[in-house]
Amino acid sequence: MVSLMSVVDTSHDDVIHDAAVDFYGSQLATCSSDNVVKIFNVKGNTYSHVADLKGHFAAVWQVSWAHPKFGNILASCSYDKRVIVWKENREWTKMHDYKNHDGSVNCVSFGPPECGLTFACGSADGSMSVVTFRTEHNAWETRRIVAAHKLGVNALSWAPYVSLIPMFSKAGHSSKSFKRIVSAGCDCLIKIWVEVNGIWEEMVQLPNHSDWIRDVAWAPSTSIPCAQIASACQDKKVIIWSSVDDIKWIPYELPSFEDVVWSVSWSPTGNILAVSEGNNKVTVWKKTCAGDWTCVSEVAGDVMPNKSVFGDDCYRPED
């Protein structure tokens, strides 16, 4: 059973849109419509406020921690069309201010550490950006994916960098040559992107949803026998997609939910999925030996619908 362990009084002045813990689970970042990102130290069930990060001029939708090998670094995205990268050097300061989108930046996520210090973000202008810090030049390099999703990008997630599954692109190259991202948008589509020679190319479209897709999450573990992606949609559906070659994806639809599904979040091992609904309910699903997914736990009541059981990225803006 999953139970509510603690409640954090963040002292935000408006709706909280996201909460994420760092790699070690020792820090919590939250963001809100009050334009502020807050940092807390975590010790057991105790949360102590450390800092308020103020730099955005509108609601902050999502936060993402970088791998600790790069330092204590956090990214935040906002309705103000920006991504701010924050770094702690005794005090939290701005490391980078990314302003290359024409609409609200709805999602941001740091990639696997093997990709370097790299984040991807998606915007209401329909485009995506992949931004990498080049230490040799002490500068940030940007790759744009123009017209990624009509009407806007709502969510994105990185694939694990190392895969035990042989994956082949249209050109016939091994998966180890590529970085992969899955994205979802207001066009009811899920798209998988792969980097080939520095260019991001659309590889696959997954079209089974009938409304705006609010979240998408690539299972983080490389120990499972196939790649898995979960998608959450305004059509009250969650679909778990599986593939052995990253080309053909087989959908498995969970039983219909009572309300709009806002977020999905994998456990670190990739075999348990948490689902957050708009009615303040979180359900936890696990795959059986027969290949079916069954609900093993449920938390309802005061749990906010945009929170993730596993502390992973867990938001989509409420349009």
Side-chain angles (χ1 to χ4, degrees):
M1 285 291 295
V2 174
S3 59
L4 182 63
M5 296 180 61
S6 61
V7 176
V8 183
D9 182 5
T10 64
S11 296
H12 276 294
D13 295 328
D14 211 325
V15 176
I16 298 171
H17 294 290
D18 194 21
V21 294
D22 69 354
F23 181 83
Y24 297 114
S26 61
Q27 294 180 105
L28 169 71
T30 62
C31 62
S32 166
S33 281
D34 63 8
N35 309 351
V36 177
V37 176
K38 290 179 179 281
I39 307 294
F40 300 84
N41 282 335
V42 181
K43 290 187 178 180
N45 292 334
T46 303
Y47 299 79
S48 55
H49 178 253
V50 173
D52 285 350
L53 309 185
K54 298 180 179 181
H56 288 291
F57 303 113
V60 186
W61 299 130
Q62 193 171 31
V63 288
S64 177
W65 293 94
H67 191 277
K69 70 179 286 185
F70 303 109
N72 206 17
I73 296 175
L74 180 78
S76 57
C77 66
S78 170
Y79 185 76
D80 64 10
K81 310 176 185 178
R82 300 155 65 211
V83 173
I84 297 179
V85 179
W86 310 84
K87 185 172 184 177
E88 184 188 33
N89 289 311
R90 296 185 179 178
E91 294 184 354
W92 285 91
T93 57
K94 288 184 186 179
M95 182 182 182
H96 184 55
D97 198 339
Y98 183 69
K99 305 177 182 178
N100 288 358
H101 283 287
D102 297 323
S104 169
V105 182
N106 295 332
C107 51
V108 64
S109 178
F110 275 107
E114 296 88 350
C115 298
L117 184 57
T118 301
F119 69 83
C121 59
S123 172
D125 65 14
S127 67
M128 295 166 55
S129 297
V130 181
V131 186
T132 302
F133 182 71
R134 299 297 183 188
T135 54
E136 62 271 25
H137 304 299
N138 193 33
W140 294 84
E141 175 186 277
T142 302
R143 303 288 186 185
R144 290 290 298 275
I145 304 174
V146 180
H149 289 273
K150 293 180 180 179
L151 302 179
V153 182
N154 289 336
L156 57 81
S157 178
W158 289 81
Y161 185 78
V162 178
S163 176
L164 301 179
I165 310 160
M167 185 278 284
F168 298 92
S169 73
K170 297 172 183 177
H173 298 290
S174 166
S175 64
K176 292 185 179 179
S177 303
F178 300 115
K179 306 168 187 175
R180 290 163 293 159
I181 295 173
V182 60
S183 64
C186 300
D187 54 5
C188 312
L189 292 175
I190 296 167
K191 296 184 179 183
I192 296 175
W193 307 86
V194 60
E195 186 191 49
V196 181
N197 299 322
I199 304 298
W200 286 89
E201 299 179 358
E202 181 183 320
M203 189 175 181
V204 179
Q205 285 191 14
L206 308 178
N208 287 39
H209 284 292
S210 60
D211 208 333
W212 289 14
I213 302 170
R214 291 298 182 176
D215 199 13
V216 66
W218 202 307
S221 177
T222 57
S223 62
I224 53 180
C226 63
Q228 293 184 139
I229 293 171
S231 56
C233 186
Q234 202 151 315
D235 61 10
K236 303 180 182 179
K237 293 180 181 179
V238 170
I239 298 177
I240 299 173
W241 309 81
S242 59
S243 175
V244 296
D245 59 6
D246 283 14
I247 301 294
K248 183 179 180 181
W249 291 83
I250 300 172
Y252 181 100
E253 187 176 320
L254 297 185
S256 296
F257 290 84
E258 299 172 359
D259 207 330
V260 172
V261 187
W262 284 98
S263 68
V264 283
S265 178
W266 292 100
S267 66
T269 54
N271 63 338
I272 299 175
L273 181 72
V275 178
S276 298
E277 297 178 63
N279 57 0
N280 287 3
K281 183 189 291 185
V282 177
T283 51
V284 180
W285 301 78
K286 188 173 183 179
K287 193 173 186 178
T288 66
C289 295
D292 296 320
W293 287 83
T294 182
C295 182
V296 297
S297 190
E298 178 180 308
V299 181
D302 294 332
V303 179
M304 293 299 292
N306 288 340
K307 292 294 182 65
S308 159
V309 169
F310 303 118
D312 211 338
D313 296 340
C314 51
Y315 135 89
R316 297 309 154 244
E318 303 174 30
D319 297 279

